[in-house]
Amino acid sequence: MGPRVPGSAEVREVPPSCCTCIVPAGAQCHPPCCPPAPQNLSDSMATYLEFIQQNEERDGVRFSWNVWPSSRLEATRMVVPLACLLTPLKERPDLPPVQYEPVLCSRPTCKAVLNPLCQVDYRAKLWACNFCFQRNQFPPAYAGISEVNQPAELMPQFSTIDYIVQRGPQTPLIFLYVVDTCLEEEDLQALKESLQMSLSLLHPDALVGLITFGRMVQVHELSCEGISKSYVFRGTKDLTAKQIQDMLGLTRPAVPVQQGRPLQPQEQPVISSRFLQPIHKIDMNLTDLLGELQRDPWPVTQGKRPLRSTGVALSIAVGLLEGTFPNTGARIMLFTGGPPTQGPGMVVGDELKTPIRSWHDIEKDNARFMKKATKHYETLANRTAANGHCIDIYACALDQTGLLEMKCCTNLTGGHMVMGDSFNTSLFKQTFQRVFSKDFNGEFRMAFGASLDVKTSRELKIGGAIGPCISLNAKGPCVSENELGIGGTCQWKICSLDPNTTLAIYFEVVNQHNAPIPQGGRGAVQFVTQYQHSSTQKRIRVTTIARNWADAQNQLQHIEAAFDQEAAAVLMARLGVYRAETEEGPDVLRWLDRQLIRLCQKFGQYNKDDPNSFRLSDSFSLYPQFMFHLRRSPFLQVFNNSPDESSYYRHHFARQDLTQSLIMIQPILYSYSFYGPPEPVLLDSSSILADRILLMDTFFQIVIYLGETIAQWQKAGYQDMPEYENFKHLLQAPLDDAQEILQTRFPMPRYINTEHGGSQARFLLSKVNPSQTHNNLYAWGQESGSPILTDDVSLQVFMDHLKKLAVSSAA
Amino acid sequence: MSVNQQAHAGPPYGQPQPAYQRYQQPGYGGQQMPGVPHSQYGVYNGPVPGHQQPAPPQGYFPSLGLPSKGSPVSLNSDTSSLAPNFIGPLRTPPTSGAPPPTSGAPLPVGQPAYNQFGQGDVQNGIPASAVQMQRPSVSQPFIPGSTPTSISQLSSFQQYGPSPTSAQQLTNHMARMTIGSVPTSAAPPAGLGYGPSTSVSPASGSFTATGSGLYTPYSSSQGPPPASMTHGLPPTSLSQGVPLAQPAFSGLPLSMQRLPSQGPGYAPPPSSTGIGPSNYPSTTGAPRPSTMQSPPLSGQALAGLPASQPNHLSSPPPPQQAMSGPHPGPPMTGLQGPPPPPTHPSQPGYQIQQNGSFGQVRGSQPNYGGAYPGTPNYGSQPGPPPPPKRLDPDSIPSPQLSELPPQQKPRHRIDPDAIPSPIQVIEDDRNNRGSEPFVTGVRGQVPPLVTTNFLVKDQGNTSPRYIRCTSYNIPCTSDMAKQSQVPLAAVIKPLATLPTEETPPYLVDHGESGPIRCNRCKAYMCPFMQFIEGGRRFQCCFCSCVTEVPPHYFQHLDHTGKRVDFYDRPELSLGSYEFLATVDYCKNNKFPNPPAFIFMIDVSYNAVKSGLVRLICEELKSLLDYLPRGGNLEESAIRVGFVTYNKVLHFYNVKSSLAQPQMMVVSDVADMFVPLLDGFLVNVNESRTVIASLLDQIPEMFADTRETETVFAPVIQAGLDALKAAECAGKLFIFHTSLPIAEAPGKLKNRDDKKLINTDKEKTLFQPQTNFYNNLAKDCVAQGCCVDLFLFPNQYLDVATLGVVTYQTGGSIYKYTYFQLETDQERFLNDLRRDVQKEVGFDAVMRVRTSTGIRATDFFGAFYMSNTTDVELAGLDCDKTITVEFKHDDKLSEDSGALLQCALLYTSSAGQRRLRIHNLSLNCCTQLADLYRNCETDTLINYLAKYAYRGVLNNPVKTVRDALINQCAQILACYRKNCASPSSAGQLILPECMKLLPVYLNCVLKSDVLQPGPEVSTDDRAYIRQLVTSMDVAETNVFFYPRLLPLTKVDVDSDALPAAIRNSEERLSKGDMYLLENGLNIFVWVGVNVQQGLIQNLFGVSSFSQISNTMSTLPILENPFSKKVRSIMDMLQAQRSRYMKLIIVKQEDKFEMLFKHFLVEDKSMSGGASYVDFLCHMHKEIRQLLS
């Protein structure tokens, strides 16, 4: 952004009278795009909650701070960075897309999209960019605009708006199945059925392809009559993209130069069509092909794992798409039933006596294949992302399958990662089915090849993003040098996203201390997401938001009140998890602790060195508890988790929206009893009572736990007696509620039905706050819950320490 | 001798027959092997015991003796001394000789064997003969011997022969005997032999009746002629000088010899063989006359006959036959015999004869005429045969005067008819030995020529179908061997196909411990092992080590020291048999899986466009039902797999459970692998429908292909890997069209450069351009993966490189240049069928063990060797031959002879691991003459060709050619110096057994590999080079000296082939049609003046000009002539391992050049010498060596 020319026709910021919407004077700001000036603090709480919710619903954005400290120094002192959770494709059934191109700021370094915050001169047909203050002519098509005849993008309710643009040829969606054949017969059968089923869910024009692998990798040609054809690759040899394309015959043969005739545009599809065919053409073929799919025929001797060439299979899938349909929406769907055991990307040798790496091995630097494999998959992931394709991994096996090494494939491309025990489980089957779920318009809930462009007011810079994206390395004036997450850019590519996909974006306030609050008192951020809609349309979603600046020195209470502790918890958690990928676990925990303590020091009310005096305002009160559970969560604790599980959990944590993320951090516990309607209860061992039924949702698991008495009743069969119908209803209630959750959750959670003393009860016991353990005997034998046999600290202990440290002057 | 013989004869004669009968029966009944069919086994045993020794020796000896005796030489001059030597070596002849003298019978003896059936019956119709017929040849000969006495003698000989372990001694005796008798006997035999053939009779007739009449024409001194005849025969030596001396006759140097021989012969014959001569007339007189052919012929015959007769005489013994065979060639004899005569009266006679013969030959019955004449000669020859060499000397003197001149002028003057004629030799051998079974019981027998049809009775030595040697008498010391320069080599065809009349080798199972072997040298139990200490131990016949007999194998010995179960056990009584191998003989100590066949089809643009792909697929559909079954299995155990390829490979899954075949493309040619395990190699019956569907689809799938590039090495690699994965051996059938230029390992570039020809770099054209294929071949051999290559090139595709793997894995290459569906389909399909159906052994290792004293030092053929002793063959089929050269590393003894044992360990097509053992015992000699008398020129040529063809890999072609000429000259010079009687240096004297060496050698020198014409492509040369390396003796024989048959003279009512004629343009008549075959091609040459009727009958067109030369088969016309010609062609095709391409050549047409290339006695376009020229050259070389 060039320096503003003083004296040039300055855009007059709207006086800060009303809400800060840059709406022509007099116009009412319907959904308030910024919070009302708080009358008092208690009110403000309620107001802010409402404001936050409205904003989230409208724009899919939640900021950690909703009033921004106006200087870099103050912002740093806030501990929790200024950041937001952005759900770029948040479903907006009420938002009709507009069918034209967005109007862009003409400054080459800005190119912000015309939005409701821009000041418009209707007479001169000029608009001023609210980011760079460039004055722009409206394009000719806008000749007819006036104050009463505004285009949608100028209306406040369209702070988020979808454009449908017609650019280039539309290519149908592409689904490339990459199927492991080293499965048990039963598993393979189930998988085949799922795959066949999925064909019926696809749009008839969608292109599908099939690659199977075991010891070898087979790329199936789908359009053959009378003979089924496939290209086979050795599973041990890494091939470059060019080699793969050569071998598949994808490189255009040096077509004899046809004099004067330009290449037929149709030629490319013709070439690629051998492996990727529209479903309506080869439905039968493919169904038969899948039906005839056999287990990998190569013998597996006793004490060996089957040789599984996942690395090469993926490489070929990537190469195939790369050569045929770069930059169009495509999903590579990898179905694997075990770890890669040979070739590039192998995770474990084929000797069964050598177990697959554990966290312990990794810490001891004893995982000999890990680095190399990871590198292989990272390379693949980056290539895939560069082409705008995505990779899904559906891994179903009792043992690990190498998700740790392969996670980048999904994480960098926005693909799904699903982990199950077997393909023959409803967990997999329904999850897979849900991939093809449709929205209210009957379109898949998936979008492809998105690029997210973030523009900020000049007081803000972009620190980075955390989520299923990769950097596009677009350096710009609004890019901060201090990276948080994937930084150094103001553009990211999200190869695949669905309406829930949520990115955390971190900002940095760069306004100098002592500098005045910026003109207009508000900062603005614009998110421009260009993507391929599942209908194959190209769309652009533009979300522009603004927040008030506040001087932290004298308006701290405003800032404090505008703190979104839920968003902050998730944003901090993402940072923590992001760090945990590369740093030692304890370091991350220490860092989290320090941040928490500093936050408490900053915003707690206490007397020095008096822990008992410590108080937190309402807007912070839940935050320490989130942190407590976060510390215990599988995202940061690897104990008792396999590396694959950790990767799996982290994968989902890094892409789910705020609500789901919170559930992951602190599972929800409902209690069912005869004493009243179901009620949420504390995630605490004290909630485990004999006469209650508990329903816990950890996102990954749904646990229904029958208290001791209830379990006895159930065993006695009371529920079958007419006179105890109410008991039957009681038993049924959590089941129904669980079903409701199961219906919508992706991936499908593990559904656990257990009871007091049951082995599966561990899922519950490991999550609740161990307020009663064998260590704190005072609770022993009381009827207020059941003790957990653990050495973990309880929330109470945690809080005690926190208070002590927060008030300590030494800290 | 005679006395003894007679004495013996009496009893033997009478008794022999019964004895035989007895043997047979008892042998059969008593000692039959379990499991072995009585009849067969019995038969073997029967003959073996009784016949073995007696019979063979007789047969041989007589024959040998005869020639030697026959040769006037012995009679004439040096005879006495020489004769003994020669004769002795000659073998039985003495024996036979003896008898003959007594009663001309001896003569019959030699021939009788052959004649017996035919002649015997015809002439004498002796019942005895008929009976004996079945007996070993020996007995038969007697029978035929028209005169009973003779018969008896023969028989006696036989007996003697066998009994005397020391052949030499006997032979010596015999020799004497023979000397006298031989000549005489020779004649009769000839008569007999011919008798059947009709020609014989004439000969005899000439001798006896027309002694003067017939002979006269030949040479005024006919009496001599016969002598000369004989002379001519044995020596077959040509003297250039002679020709000069006697221009008329001298035309042929050979004639020189004759003359002298005759001269002397006459004189001597009477003296030495006084009896002989007398006998001749008398004995043969009667029989022959009857058969006498046209007088003119006879004239020739006489001239030729002398030679031929001797041959005939000699012919009885196989080796000699060979020798004599050639001799019979009238020319030979003519030369030798006649020339001398010319000086005398004979010359004119000769001329006449020759002319007559020519005229006749060409005109009316060219071949027959020639051939027959030979026979008549026999009568006369008998006398001369042995002496031939001497004859030369004699003749020389006379010619001497003109010697020098002859050389200068000679070429023109040398009468082509006077030089040794292959046709005559072949014809004579066929007549003399074709009718009698060849019984292998006796050590060192020279078998009949490869061109002769004969049955073999295995009595302890392997059949010549399996092993042929360059010499059946090996010098005792390496000095001798070096002196003679005669290579000692054996041409081994371990899995040769036997005629249906002969029993395939028996399978012996020695139980879990495996075959009994010598502890030290590991030789396998064989008939020559000596059991000692009451049978508890045996002494190895190769290394003399004594080994314990395992208890389960113990058997008592009878009073002669033979095991009681001698006849029950093939390994004790037969020359060839098989052992069942135990698991110790298997790779990884696991019994092998049945082998697999993988068909790998090039589907690049060229292959598809030419219709080849469709053709192959169609053919495979039916062909797959005829996979080799390995004996008596109901269905073949062989599994099949399919691959197609161009720049990438396509594998097919044809598992029986599939609804449709699956194609799997492997594009990673740089790192080939087999993409599937199950379903690639399948049982044909189980997967029939899927395979059929696949074969239907392949042509469709690639119908629109535009891919022109191919890979090659990865294809082999793929096949190899597939076999590895399936853990079996097998064979790849690769159908390939072009130079593999696609980016892949083993990629080749076009390096064809005709400019290299005749430079030092020419050898690179025969070398592979990359080492890659050698390594690949090594891997293939390790897995037992044999590669057969069918090439369909439209341009250079570097056979030298592509063939490396095929060559080293024991596979075959078939090449169809400019393949066109219409013209080449038949040939290709026939080749394919035969190649797929033929029996083949896999994963084989061959080892040749020898008596201490010689050692197998060099090996030629299509195989791989990782050490110096084991020949490793991924595959070995029934057509593949391995030539092994032996060198002395110590002395051999005459007593114990030299033994060869060829052991081949292989996996049968049924997947059974077996050991095939061939044993052969050879004589050893201290006299060079014995060596020269027991040589086989055809085998020698086989060796020399292979040696030379390997030489071109490392040496300039010219060097190789010179070396060949030099070696040949040395061989002949050594003979001249050590074995022939002193004579003028101007005389060319050839050993009887080697008289064809010059002509054949010239053919080798002129072959495309060693002297390419401009039209011969580099690929063709490489192809032929590899082809020849695996050829057996019969194949090299016809390949280098093609068979030329006059079609117009064909007798439509008989089964017989028309007699062949010599490969020279001047023998073609404009009014005739000829058929020429060389094992690769059949030419039908049509003269411009051929009767229209014949053209109509054969080609179905009305005139010469309408004959199309693109015809690939003769039209099927319903007339006797067409039927006959086609049946001849079918017969020829059946004899060859490859289907020969038919090329119609019209006289004075452009294709005639191609045809003329095969007229090997003529000067070739590429500068090859004519036969006559070469002979002169050779003579010069020899003279240089001698001086």
Side-chain angles (χ1 to χ4, degrees), chain B residues 854-875:
Chain B
I854 53 170
R855 197 161 45 87
T857 53
D858 210 350
F859 301 83
F860 304 84
F863 52 75
Y864 173 78
M865 289 188 79
S866 57
N867 56 36
T868 55
T869 54
D870 294 339
V871 175
E872 297 176 37
L873 298 128

Side-chain angles (χ1 to χ4, degrees), chain A residues 401-475:
Chain A
T401 55
L403 290 181
L404 171 70
E405 287 81 358
M406 294 190 278
K407 66 187 174 198
C408 46
C409 292
T410 56
N411 290 352
L412 300 187
T413 66
H416 301 302
M417 184 190 281
V418 174
M419 193 171 79
D421 290 345
S422 157
F423 287 109
N424 197 18
T425 55
S426 59
L427 185 147
F428 165 73
K429 290 177 182 169
Q430 297 192 21
T431 303
F432 183 53
Q433 199 163 357
R434 210 154 291 160
V435 171
F436 302 99
S437 64
K438 305 214 164 115
D439 65 10
F440 50 92
N441 283 329
E443 306 279 4
F444 286 138
R445 293 160 173 273
M446 56 177 88
F448 295 92
S451 69
L452 170 65
D453 199 347
V454 181
K455 303 179 191 310
T456 61
S457 304
R458 57 185 57 165
E459 300 81 13
L460 277 182
K461 290 205 173 188
I462 301 160
I466 297 178
C469 59
I470 60 164
S471 162
L472 280 178
N473 281 322
K475 311 280 186 212

Side-chain angles (χ1 to χ4, degrees), chain A residues 5-291:
Chain A
V5 183
S8 70
E10 281 241 305
V11 176
R12 286 298 109 211
E13 272 79 17
V14 178
S17 57
C18 156
C19 80
T20 51
C21 296
I22 305 182
V23 175
Q28 197 57 32
C29 172
H30 290 296
C33 38
C34 44
Q39 301 310 310
N40 57 57
L41 282 180
S42 58
D43 282 354
S44 74
M45 225 9 245
T47 323
Y48 271 113
L49 282 180
E50 193 177 309
F51 167 80
I52 288 169
Q53 193 188 349
Q54 281 176 344
N55 263 282
E56 185 181 10
E57 279 175 12
R58 190 185 59 212
D59 297 330
V61 177
R62 291 222 11 197
F63 271 93
S64 52
W65 304 96
N66 288 293
V67 171
W68 298 342
S70 61
S71 78
R72 178 197 291 270
L73 185 63
E74 289 302 329
T76 325
R77 287 183 182 160
M78 298 295 152
V79 181
V80 174
L82 172 57
C84 71
L85 287 167
L86 169 70
T87 308
L89 294 193
K90 182 165 182 62
E91 277 189 340
R92 287 288 304 279
D94 56 325
L95 181 74
V98 297
Q99 306 265 355
Y100 50 82
E101 298 260 346
V103 176
L104 303 184
C105 170
S106 60
R107 192 188 295 270
T109 53
C110 176
K111 298 217 164 181
V113 179
L114 177 64
N115 62 71
L117 300 182
C118 295
Q119 199 179 26
V120 176
D121 181 339
Y122 290 100
R123 272 182 301 170
K125 308 288 190 242
L126 291 175
W127 63 276
C129 172
N130 61 320
F131 294 100
C132 68
F133 307 110
Q134 168 82 25
R135 293 167 68 93
N136 298 292
Q137 285 280 351
F138 277 108
Y142 282 65
I145 63 168
S146 68
E147 282 151 15
V148 292
N149 183 18
Q150 293 178 348
E153 63 264 35
L154 287 179
M155 299 180 188
Q157 66 267 40
F158 290 103
S159 58
T160 292
I161 186 168
D162 267 346
Y163 298 87
I164 297 179
V165 297
Q166 311 291 349
R167 275 187 213 151
Q170 292 189 357
T171 33
L173 296 187
I174 300 164
F175 298 86
L176 179 53
Y177 298 107
V178 182
V179 181
D180 179 6
T181 54
C182 296
L183 301 176
E184 293 304 316
E185 194 57 58
E186 193 177 272
D187 259 23
L188 183 60
Q189 194 54 41
L191 176 57
K192 278 152 67 173
E193 283 164 14
S194 286
L195 294 178
Q196 285 169 332
M197 174 276 301
S198 73
L199 298 181
S200 63
L201 299 175
L202 296 177
H203 189 278
D205 288 332
L207 301 182
V208 288
L210 176 65
I211 294 177
T212 57
F213 67 95
R215 189 190 187 113
M216 315 265 171
V217 180
Q218 279 177 269
V219 184
H220 296 267
E221 200 171 308
L222 299 175
S223 57
C224 322
E225 291 296 330
I227 188 166
S228 57
K229 234 177 182 179
S230 60
Y231 283 64
V232 188
F233 295 82
R234 200 188 268 276
T236 52
K237 187 176 174 189
D238 199 7
L239 299 166
T240 65
K242 172 146 194 330
Q243 283 174 314
I244 290 169
Q245 287 155 20
D246 280 349
M247 290 178 184
L248 289 176
L250 299 179
T251 35
R252 202 162 307 184
V255 179
V257 183
Q258 296 175 346
Q259 287 119 358
R261 281 179 56 195
L263 286 181
Q264 305 287 331
Q266 301 98 317
E267 268 183 41
Q268 185 173 356
V270 169
I271 288 173
S272 53
S273 67
R274 291 190 308 174
F275 304 104
L276 298 166
Q277 289 276 308
I279 186 95
H280 65 88
K281 274 198 193 161
I282 47 91
D283 194 8
M284 291 304 295
N285 261 359
L286 186 53
T287 309
D288 291 348
L289 191 57
L290 286 172

